[in-house]
């Protein structure tokens, strides 16, 4: 009898970990996967192009049901785990099915944060998290006109772009005075806003939502100053929260998320966790690059080849809106003792800002011309001394190579 590995969560983090495990030890475990959604595993990052009509759901599938069969994996899609009994080492799914485990991998991801204002439960108020949300938005776009997206971060702007591409009249509401304030400085945010306004999007910045109005479906959104705007569809993209209810109820140690060590092991040595539901050295995760790193490390330890340790790295941010080029990585704000190198070319719509600490790059924001983004990212990660190329640094890798 092979030992049993049960994976709770059929998303990108859990299945990438299984892929890494299969590379190293394809026959080690009997693997059972439970997922809340009634699909195989798909690329959640590409939901935005599906909403925009640039891709189909089939295009973004990573693992079809056939893949699970070919790899001898038992998939229970649409049947989420509702209880973990660590004493008896078994999980119980919504259907009542119980499966024992020798190793358990929790990859429950995160839940969208729905702002708890009056009316937030009305029909027509959605998150932007999964295939069902996208299908609901596409349905709304066919039958309704006015969309309001609450949250002007990465996900909110991608949702707004997709809904506008589907013919809706879209207003983005953001509580601070600059878009993507977690990833951009103000000058880059202003360039981005201008470009998106030219595409037809509208913005209300520094606006606080106080209520969603409608008798039996949303009809308007109300703000702290008493004003209202019409809305047939409201999409909440005001952040996510690690989905840790299951882990907490099982008695696993959680703070903001499930606490793991450098091997992605929880306080229970039989239980591992990866992805947006974990907390490693006080940090939580929302971008794909660190989650792929976690999957590599966790897969190796599950395979018994456990010499790897997970080390946090900076991760770049890109916006998936056609015609808008944006790249941000590292500490783009700076602090005491840091210096800025800035290039502005308003006519071309190009803005670059590099934040230097001593002779090293600490962060970069690029708008309009992003081709050197990966190179700057490499310089940040390798902590390269840039003093010899400082004069040409803003003009990119090619010029620095010539000057050298």
């Amino acid at each position: 009898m092979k030992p049993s590995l049960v994976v709770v969560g059929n998303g990108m983090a859990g299945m990438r970990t299984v892929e890494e495990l299969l590379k190293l030890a394809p026959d080690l475990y009997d693997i059972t996967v439970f997922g809340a959604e009634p699909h195989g595993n798909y690329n959640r990052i590409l939901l935005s192009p599906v909403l925009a009509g640039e891709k189909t759901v089939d295009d973004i599938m990573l693992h079809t049901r056939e893949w699970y069969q070919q790899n001898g994996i038992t998939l229970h899609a649409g049947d989420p785990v509702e209880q973990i009994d660590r004493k008896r080492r078994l999980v119980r799914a919504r259907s009542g099915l119980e499966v024992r485990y020798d190793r358990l991998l929790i990859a429950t991801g995160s839940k969208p944060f729905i702002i708890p204002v009056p009316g937030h439960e009305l029909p027509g108020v959605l998150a932007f998290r999964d295939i069902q949300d996208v299908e609901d938005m596409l349905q709304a776009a066919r039958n309704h006109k006015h969309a309001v997206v609450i949250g002007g971060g990465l996900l909110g702007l991608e949702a707004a772009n997709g809904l506008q591409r589907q013919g809706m009249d879209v207003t983005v509401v953001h509580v601070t005075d600059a878009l993507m304030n977690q990833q951009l400085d103000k000058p880059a945010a202003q360039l981005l806003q201008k470009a998106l306004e030219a595409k037809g999007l509208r913005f209300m910045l520094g606006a606080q939502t106080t209520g969603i109005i409608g008798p039996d479906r949303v009809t308007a959104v109300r703000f702290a100053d008493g004003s209202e705007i019409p809305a047939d569809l409201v999409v909440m993209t005001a952040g996510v929260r690690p989905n840790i209810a299951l882990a907490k109820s099982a008695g696993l140690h959680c703070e903001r998320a499930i606490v793991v060590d450098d091997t992605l092991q929880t306080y229970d040595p039989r239980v591992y966790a990866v992805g947006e539901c974990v907390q490693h050295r006080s940090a939580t995760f929302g971008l794909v690059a660190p989650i792929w790193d976690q999957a590599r490390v966790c897969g190796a330890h599950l395979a018994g080849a456990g010499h790897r340790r997970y080390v946090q790295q900076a991760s770049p941010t890109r916006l998936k809106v056609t015609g808008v080029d944006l790249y941000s990585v590292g500490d783009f704000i700076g602090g005491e003792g840091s210096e800025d190198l800035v290039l502005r070319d308003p006519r071309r719509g190009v803005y670059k800002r590099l934040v230097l600490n001593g002779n090293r790059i600490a962060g970069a924001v690029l708008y309009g011309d992003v081709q050197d983004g990966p190179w700057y990212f490499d310089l940040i990660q390798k902590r390269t001394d840039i003093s010899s190329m400082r004069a040409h640094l803003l003009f990119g890798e090619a010029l620095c190579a010539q000057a050298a």
Side-chain angles (χ1 to χ4, degrees):
M1 286 281 287
K2 293 180 188 176
S4 164
L5 169 66
V6 173
V7 183
V8 180
N10 186 34
M12 293 170 72
M15 295 320 298
R16 183 62 169 244
T17 306
V18 169
E19 276 189 345
E20 296 288 344
L21 164 64
L22 292 175
K23 278 184 212 167
L24 295 168
D27 299 314
L28 182 56
Y29 293 99
D30 269 329
I31 303 174
T32 305
V33 177
F34 288 87
E37 293 183 69
H39 318 281
N41 170 38
Y42 60 90
N43 188 337
R44 201 180 294 280
I45 297 163
L46 295 179
L47 285 172
S48 298
V50 174
L51 179 61
E54 295 163 1
K55 289 187 181 295
T56 66
V57 168
D58 285 346
D59 292 337
I60 70 168
M61 278 292 158
L62 295 171
H63 301 113
T64 60
R65 286 176 182 271
E66 290 71 38
W67 179 87
Y68 294 85
Q69 287 166 3
Q70 286 159 9
N71 286 279
I73 296 168
T74 305
L75 171 65
H76 299 288
D79 191 15
V81 169
E82 294 193 330
Q83 191 183 355
I84 298 168
D85 184 335
R86 285 166 52 219
K87 211 169 254 175
R88 294 165 60 207
R89 293 212 312 272
L90 61 79
V91 301
R92 185 174 297 109
R94 181 171 292 167
S95 64
L97 177 68
E98 293 185 346
V99 178
R100 279 184 52 77
Y101 67 82
D102 296 293
R103 291 286 180 275
L104 182 66
L105 174 62
I106 300 176
T108 45
S110 59
K111 282 183 172 314
F113 176 62
I114 303 296
I115 304 168
V117 293
H120 72 274
E121 292 175 333
L122 279 170
V125 179
L126 303 172
F128 181 21
R129 191 71 194 145
D130 57 31
I131 286 174
Q132 188 59 54
D133 292 331
V134 171
E135 287 175 354
D136 290 345
M137 281 192 250
L138 291 172
Q139 179 70 26
R142 284 191 282 274
N143 301 316
H144 298 282
K145 184 66 185 160
H146 299 286
V148 172
V149 176
I150 299 176
L154 193 63
L155 197 61
L157 297 182
E158 290 179 2
N161 174 66
L163 290 167
Q164 196 218 13
R165 295 279 296 274
Q166 295 296 339
M168 294 195 86
D169 188 19
V170 185
T171 302
V172 177
V173 174
H174 195 46
V175 73
T176 73
D177 62 353
L179 297 174
M180 287 183 66
N181 49 293
Q182 302 286 317
Q183 291 92 8
L184 298 181
D185 61 4
K186 278 222 175 125
Q190 284 162 355
L191 281 171
L192 173 62
Q193 184 177 338
K194 204 168 155 191
L196 294 174
E197 283 171 343
K199 287 172 170 283
L201 292 175
R202 276 198 298 279
F203 296 93
M204 290 179 63
L205 302 183
Q208 193 171 348
T209 305
T210 55
I212 296 168
I213 298 157
D216 46 19
R217 183 189 169 87
V218 57
T219 57
V221 176
R222 182 179 292 146
F223 302 102
D225 63 4
S227 64
E228 294 179 10
I229 58 171
D232 314 300
L233 171 69
V234 173
V235 182
M236 295 260 192
T237 57
V240 295
R241 301 285 183 272
N243 186 7
I244 59 172
L246 181 68
K248 263 184 142 170
S249 69
L252 289 168
H253 179 56
C254 299
E255 290 172 8
R256 279 183 305 148
I258 305 166
V259 176
V260 294
D261 65 13
D262 293 350
T263 70
L264 285 307
Q265 200 175 65
T266 68
Y267 276 48
D268 179 336
R270 290 183 181 273
V271 182
Y272 291 78
V274 290
E276 294 184 338
C277 63
V278 308
Q279 178 179 321
H280 173 262
R281 296 178 184 254
S282 302
T284 55
F285 307 89
L287 295 171
V288 76
I291 290 170
W292 277 184
D293 289 343
Q294 290 173 15
R296 235 184 331 270
V297 172
C298 187
H301 283 274
L302 285 169
H307 58 278
R308 291 179 173 160
R309 294 284 180 272
Y310 173 61
V311 179
Q312 291 176 33
Q313 312 262 21
S315 296
T317 296
R318 295 181 181 87
L319 182 66
K320 290 181 289 301
V321 170
T322 313
V324 176
D325 292 317
L326 183 66
Y327 189 100
S328 161
V329 66
D331 172 15
F332 58 87
I333 298 298
E336 203 176 320
S338 69
E339 296 176 84
D340 293 353
L341 299 182
V342 178
L343 180 151
R344 277 191 181 89
D345 187 343
R347 184 174 290 180
R348 284 173 58 225
V350 170
Y351 171 82
K352 297 182 182 185
R353 178 165 177 236
L354 303 177
V355 176
L356 306 185
N357 269 335
N359 293 322
R360 294 184 170 82
I361 304 179
V365 176
L366 312 178
Y367 182 90
D369 176 4
V370 299
Q371 66 176 10
D372 286 302
W375 179 60
Y376 293 133
F377 180 39
D378 195 47
L379 295 178
I380 291 169
Q381 286 201 299
K382 290 179 176 165
R383 297 178 53 76
T384 304
D385 185 327
I386 51 84
S387 42
S388 64
M389 51 180 143
R390 182 187 165 114
H392 302 97
L393 200 57
L394 276 171
F395 303 99
E397 183 177 16
L399 198 65
C400 286
Q402 280 175 25

